[in-house]
Amino acid sequence: MVNAMRIAVAGLGTVGAATAALLRRNAPILSQRAGRRLELVAVSSRDRRKNREIDLSGVEWVEDAEALAARPDIDIVVETIGGSEGIARALVTAALRNGKHVVTANKALVALHGQELAELAATRNVALAFEAAVAGGIPVLKTLREGLAANRVYEIHGILNGTSNFILTEMRETGRAFDDVLAEAQRLGYAEADPSFDVDGIDTAHKLAILTALAFGRQVDFASISIEGIRSIDPTDIAFASELGYRIKLLAIARQTERGVEQRVHPCMVPIKAPIAAAEGVFNAVVAAGDAVDKVLLVGRGAGGGPTASAIVADLVDIASGRIAPSFGIDPRHLLPPEPADIGERVGAYYLRLKVEDRPGVVADIAAILRAQGSSLESVVLGGRSQGLPVPLLLTTHDARERDMRQAVAHIAALPSVTETPCLIRIEGF
Ligand code: HSE
């Protein structure tokens, strides 16, 4: 057998610790598959005393993670520290510069600096692999890069954040409050260090930027993504969606249009029968649509130690076997520049939740505004009457152009009879 592949793991949080444990637990089968041993040589993390319940006997503990990048006895650096800047970026850059392979779960880093890092890896002839950065345990990057290599991919949509899917599912199934479910997601190791990244759609957008680059052969373009999170969703929306035959999901959508590539992240109502609606709790799902294959659906656990370590170790096996793929599927110097399309051209149906004064003519005023902007009402539900207090008004519309709909909502919000900021949710057919 050839020499062992010598690995260092920087960052022993949920994911780093699970990676170290998996390397040990499945060592014999990993050696068979890679044709050489995968040897964990060193680890680095902030707090040495923390009980991680993993066996690190024979593994060197290094205080300074960045020092791993310069060690001649290390072939691959696994970065599970997180964050787009600071030590994670410095470590990855230094390791690549020193000719070491890098495997990372860091979606923020790849979404913001993926192009320069992929170019660095290409010039040094080493791997920069990040399967774990998108959709946890689902091998979606490999599927796009290899399994769907024959296709012109024209659309990707997916649920890419386990924490927010967990929150939306629990709120619907148990009626639990948002904060309570978020705290549980943190306990289970699903949420980001800063959970606003999860609930505000930023984590989903990081992952979408990576998927878009791979699917459409373009440079990562996080800055152009239109992003909305799930904070404005309330139990009324979830219940009304169920009544109408929908689920509310935080979706990432990328489409090749005639105007360029549309990238957006926002809550959506999707039909309960749509395959993607079946992904509940911490599960993620991705649909890739290609000109030859039609639609492919991938579903699996999108967060947590085991699933994420599964993706990291798969990358390690590939590298140890000599299967070194370009990070974004093609030589990074040949990726096309971004070509963002304005999402104002989206055409689709909408759900609108309003709080209005309970008096005659209110619905007629709203209908008139929508009509003037080229839209029309499909259904209207007025919440229970309550002694002169404002009541919820729930509407769905027929297809309208996003730009017109936003204009209509701005006019509606300015009506004296509308007492709260409206909540607008897109309805996607799929
Ligand atoms: N916070 C992320 C999620 C972790 O909940 O999906 C996996 O990237």
Side-chain angles (χ1 to χ4, degrees):
M1 207 180 249
V2 285
N3 292 342
M5 199 64 156
R6 297 159 307 175
I7 298 163
V9 174
L12 286 184
T14 306
V15 173
T19 301
L22 185 56
L23 282 170
R24 185 147 290 197
R25 190 172 82 236
N26 285 353
I29 201 165
L30 297 174
S31 300
Q32 276 178 347
R33 288 182 180 150
R36 61 204 293 196
R37 272 189 316 114
L38 299 181
E39 186 188 346
L40 182 59
V41 172
V43 294
S44 177
S45 200
R46 265 187 315 212
D47 183 2
R48 190 168 184 165
R49 284 158 305 178
K50 188 171 158 193
N51 179 15
R52 298 180 171 83
E53 292 177 354
I54 46 172
D55 176 9
L56 290 174
S57 50
V59 178
E60 187 182 345
W61 190 283
V62 176
E63 293 297 331
D64 173 16
E66 262 186 87
L68 296 169
R71 296 241 323 221
D73 61 336
I74 287 167
D75 305 305
I76 312 184
V77 172
V78 176
E79 184 273 305
T80 49
I81 297 168
S84 63
E85 310 300 329
I87 188 160
R89 186 179 178 192
L91 169 65
V92 169
T93 306
L96 294 173
R97 204 167 269 148
N98 291 339
K100 300 194 187 309
H101 305 289
V102 170
V103 174
T104 179
N106 190 335
K107 49 267 162 140
L109 177 73
V110 180
L112 296 180
H113 306 297
Q115 182 63 27
E116 88 198 27
L117 294 172
E119 285 184 24
L120 182 55
T123 54
R124 295 291 196 275
N125 269 319
V126 290
L128 167 66
F130 39 80
E131 184 64 68
V134 182
I138 307 176
V140 60
L141 303 189
K142 201 176 184 65
T143 301
L144 282 170
R145 193 175 56 228
E146 296 167 26
L148 299 182
N151 286 264
R152 184 175 290 278
V153 174
Y154 56 88
E155 182 183 306
I156 302 264
H157 64 262
I159 297 166
L160 301 179
N161 183 265
T163 300
S164 46
N165 205 39
F166 182 71
I167 291 173
L168 291 171
T169 305
E170 286 288 307
M171 281 173 72
R172 193 191 74 247
E173 285 181 348
T174 66
R176 287 167 69 194
F178 182 95
D179 290 337
D180 176 31
V181 188
L182 174 57
E184 189 181 346
Q186 289 175 296
R187 267 198 309 280
L188 291 167
Y190 301 158
E192 295 304 297
D194 175 357
S196 64
F197 274 42
D198 295 297
V199 298
D200 292 333
I202 297 159
D203 178 75
T204 300
H206 286 148
K207 295 164 179 168
L208 179 64
I210 298 170
L211 280 181
T212 305
L214 237 142
F216 303 125
R218 293 190 180 273
Q219 296 169 3
V220 270
D221 181 21
F222 173 73
S224 302
I225 302 179
S226 161
I227 308 173
E228 288 169 33
I230 60 168
R231 282 188 209 264
S232 60
I233 306 296
D234 86 7
T236 322
D237 308 320
I238 295 176
F240 190 60
S242 293
E243 260 176 51
L244 294 175
Y246 292 106
R247 291 279 179 261
I248 298 182
K249 298 289 182 189
L250 178 62
L251 284 199
I253 302 172
R255 272 190 194 129
Q256 179 70 60
T257 73
E258 286 168 3
R259 298 164 286 109
V261 178
E262 191 181 277
Q263 294 188 91
R264 50 196 166 96
V265 170
H266 51 67
C268 270
M269 287 193 184
V270 294
I272 289 174
K273 287 192 179 141
I276 201 151
E280 298 274 49
V282 73
F283 280 74
N284 282 191
V286 184
V287 173
D291 60 347
V293 74
D294 196 7
K295 289 185 178 159
V296 171
L297 168 71
L298 302 169
V299 186
R301 288 183 184 273
T308 314
S310 163
I312 289 176
V313 176
D315 277 345
L316 293 173
V317 170
D318 269 353
I319 295 168
S321 316
R323 291 190 297 268
I324 296 181
S327 307
F328 292 103
I330 60 175
D331 185 321
R333 291 155 295 202
H334 298 157
L335 290 163
L336 296 169
E339 196 191 7
D342 182 356
I343 78 155
E345 297 301 318
R346 171 199 184 257
V347 174
Y350 294 84
Y351 158 89
L352 188 59
R353 168 172 41 86
L354 303 167
K355 192 96 172 263
V356 297
E357 285 169 6
D358 185 13
R359 57 180 166 75
V362 172
V363 175
D365 290 347
I366 290 165
I369 292 174
L370 286 169
R371 207 169 33 248
Q373 292 294 338
S375 179
S376 59
L377 290 172
E378 194 202 14
S379 68
V380 181
V381 174
L382 190 61
R385 298 181 177 263
S386 54
Q387 292 113 27
L389 292 174
V391 290
L393 178 62
L394 312 177
L395 315 168
T396 59
T397 73
H398 291 289
D399 281 0
R401 208 163 60 123
E402 173 99 11
R403 191 187 312 285
D404 300 333
M405 195 62 201
R406 286 195 198 189
Q407 191 93 48
V409 172
H411 290 320
I412 290 169
L415 288 173
S417 51
V418 172
T419 61
E420 274 180 16
T421 308
C423 169
L424 182 72
I425 302 179
R426 295 157 190 90
I427 301 175
E428 292 283 348
F430 297 131

